[in-house]
Amino acid sequence: MDSIIQIGQKNTLAEYIICSGADNRPPMLDKDMYDSWKSRMELYMQNREHRRMILESVEHDPLIWPTIKENGVTRTKKYTELSATEKSKLIVISKQLVSFFKERECKLYDVFDKFTHIKGESLHQYYLRFTQLIKDMNIYKMKMEQFQVNTKFLNSLPPEWSKFVTDVKLVKDLC
């Protein structure tokens, strides 16, 4: 059956993630899917509580948030307690992160624009791949109209689905 993922069968990154339960832990590395894995790891890190520090420590050196000792207790400094040097380092890191996120958004929009059915791919695999792309875009809070998403999904289906695509477009007034 196409809709059931067999244990030990790995077809797409989305199926790997579903099998590994990536909602509560990072996805596993599969060496032949490094680019996809790297992207998923970045997305995973962004959803963690201290995402900026995590991403910065991966991209550059670890960011150790300055601490202060008060009454024998060590705590992290508030932003207002940071020195000018510490604040300027955070500004640089913030600019780097903004640049990183903008670049990633551009790449995702490009992937969305070029998204198409891959010859030999089942409808289930196509759906999983498309769903993963939309999820990745949602993580970056990229705005897509539902109309655009639906139209892209339908227009990217293989020619053998054209009759059904036309029927759906007529019923949903997408023509």
Side-chain angles (χ1 to χ4, degrees), residues 3 20 36 46-47 53 76 80 87-88 103 108 110-112 116-118 122 150 152 156 159-160 164 175:
S3 63
S20 68
S36 297
Q46 288 176 42
N47 285 322
M53 292 185 342
T76 56
T80 55
K87 286 180 182 179
S88 66
E103 179 182 322
L108 284 171
D110 189 50
V111 169
F112 182 82
T116 187
H117 179 265
I118 298 170
S122 71
N150 294 346
K152 182 63 178 179
S156 299
E160 59 264 24
F164 300 103
C175 293

Side-chain angles (χ1 to χ4, degrees), residues 138-154:
N138 286 337
I139 287 172
Y140 283 95
K141 298 191 181 2
M142 297 168 66
K143 301 296 180 201
M144 297 291 295
E145 295 293 330
Q146 191 62 48
F147 174 85
Q148 290 174 291
V149 174
N150 294 346
T151 302
K152 182 63 178 179
F153 182 85
L154 291 172

Side-chain angles (χ1 to χ4, degrees), residues 87-100:
K87 286 180 182 179
S88 66
K89 184 177 180 183
L90 286 174
I91 290 169
V92 169
I93 292 168
S94 296
K95 287 180 181 177
Q96 290 171 340
L97 286 172
V98 167
S99 173
F100 170 80

